Amino acid sequence: MSFPPPSPPPQPPASAPGPGQPWGPQWNPAGQPVQPTLNGFAVTALVTSLVCLAPLGLIFGIVALVQISRNGQRGKGLAIAGISVSGAVLLLAALVAGTADFKVWTLPGRDGDGDVTKSGWTTILSLRTGDCFNPGTEIKRDQSTLNDVSVELVPCDTSHRGEAYASFRLSGQRDFPGADGIAAIATPRCAKLFLDYSLDPVAFGPLQTFYYYPSERNWATGDRTVRCWVGPKGDAKLDTSVRRDASNLDSGQLAFLSAVKPINAAGVLRPVRGPREDLDGAKAWAGRMAEAQAESIRLLKDTDLPGAQRPAGQLVAELEAGLPFWRQAAEASDADTFLGHLRSVDQHNGDAQVRRIRKLLDLPLPGTAPTQARHEASAPGPV
């Protein structure tokens, strides 16, 4: 009896599979090779890492690698990518945890008109005109840099520290002008823009304007935007918008506020330095106040204020009596003489008449008279 020759021993594949993985290619009943399935945890690891769920991405990636090694599934590259991205995010978080003020970054919600309807965190760069917000850091007048550029946007009928009302681009400078150079432009322009945004600023108590300006680094990248915002002085907060335009006023209210706007516009630009420090600056301001008061007198004379004609006439008389002292202050030879003329101006500021007119026109009573209004601008820091 003869036997067939023995078969050669089986040869292992070129690359040995992992533990539990079958040797050699797999075949379906038709004799065609079967493509290994894609591991679901590998896909999930990459997706969660890309949507900033780093801890989950790291866990899913490790689970995926274990399953792939056992079952021969596809997706090893996806799992490794998910682990790598998640690890990088967690490492970055660990590095900055000691210096950063982490917040729950829920995005703010807006309606179809762009008004904020749900509180949420964003950055200063995302502020829009009319946004009410709480700065992510305490604002100080002498602050030169911002370590936290985050802001919490809130609906304007909830408690808030500030309200963005205007922005503009600096032009005409190629090189970074420095904080003082920017302040020379931003301070008066933000003040004037606020009086366009709120025709009746005194209705909200003492307010202070602020602005954010581009840092030298951002200037080099092309950022030239100054962002103006306003808030109450000290630690007080607002619970309403300070926007006041023609849509918020009746004809009599609008006529009166438009007539006294020249005085308010000049008053808010009162120099920060007094006449003893900068007599020329104080005299120049007094000259602008004289021109503004003369314009308001003319407008009041031409304005019909139903029900308030008598106090309006009395206000005109007071302002006319005080006008010569503004002009004399603009020509003062020394600081003491200048201050003496300002005391005479205050005796004819028309405060009593203004309050009477506002009451008759159903306007909130002011905290200061128009000629006493003062603008204080602060730059919280470059962004």
Side-chain angles (χ1 to χ4, degrees), residues 257-269:
L257 294 175
S258 298
V260 297
K261 183 177 179 180
I263 297 179
N264 285 332
V268 297
L269 296 178

Side-chain angles (χ1 to χ4, degrees), residues 77-250:
L78 297 177
I80 293 174
I83 292 174
S84 300
V85 174
S86 298
V89 171
L90 291 174
L91 178 61
L92 179 61
L95 291 174
V96 302
T99 58
D101 180 18
F102 283 95
K103 303 174 178 70
V104 179
W105 273 72
T106 55
L107 295 177
R110 297 182 183 271
D111 60 18
D113 295 326
D115 296 329
V116 175
T117 55
K118 185 185 73 172
S119 300
W121 287 90
T122 183
T123 68
I124 291 166
L125 302 179
S126 300
L127 284 177
R128 304 180 188 177
T129 296
D131 281 351
C132 297
F133 66 95
N134 292 305
T137 187
E138 182 182 1
I139 299 300
K140 300 178 181 179
R141 293 193 63 191
D142 58 352
Q143 188 171 339
S144 59
T145 59
L146 283 176
N147 295 323
D148 188 349
V149 297
S150 61
V151 292
E152 181 192 23
L153 294 188
V154 298
C156 287
D157 58 359
T158 61
S159 178
H160 57 277
R161 180 68 180 85
E163 181 172 345
Y165 64 86
S167 64
F168 61 89
R169 283 182 58 82
L170 297 167
S171 59
Q173 302 95 353
R174 179 179 177 181
D175 298 326
F176 181 65
D180 292 340
I182 292 176
I185 301 171
T187 298
R189 187 160 181 184
C190 281
K192 292 178 180 178
L193 289 171
F194 179 57
L195 290 175
D196 293 333
Y197 184 80
S198 184
L199 291 175
D200 193 19
V202 296
F204 304 96
L207 297 174
Q208 181 174 356
T209 59
F210 300 84
Y211 59 87
Y212 296 115
Y213 61 93
S215 65
E216 185 171 5
R217 181 178 61 183
N218 285 359
W219 185 278
T221 65
D223 184 9
R224 301 290 188 273
T225 302
V226 172
R227 296 166 177 85
C228 309
W229 63 279
V230 65
K233 293 184 178 180
D235 296 326
K237 291 190 175 183
L238 297 165
D239 58 7
T240 185
S241 171
V242 299
R243 188 196 297 262
R244 296 274 281 182
D245 55 27
S247 65
N248 306 121
L249 305 165
D250 62 33

Side-chain angles (χ1 to χ4, degrees), residues 43-60:
V43 177
T44 305
L46 181 59
V47 172
T48 51
S49 69
L50 294 177
V51 296
C52 298
L53 297 175
L56 290 178
L58 187 62
I59 294 171
F60 289 143

Side-chain angles (χ1 to χ4, degrees), residues 335-379:
D336 289 334
T337 302
F338 180 92
L339 293 172
H341 292 316
L342 249 62
R343 286 191 288 270
S344 297
V345 167
D346 284 339
Q347 295 175 5
H348 301 282
N349 58 28
D351 180 57
Q353 289 75 30
V354 168
R355 300 178 75 87
R356 178 63 178 161
I357 293 170
R358 293 181 68 92
K359 186 175 181 179
L360 291 171
L361 296 178
D362 196 26
L363 287 168
L365 296 182
T368 58
T371 55
Q372 296 172 321
R374 177 167 179 163
H375 169 73
E376 295 183 25
S378 293

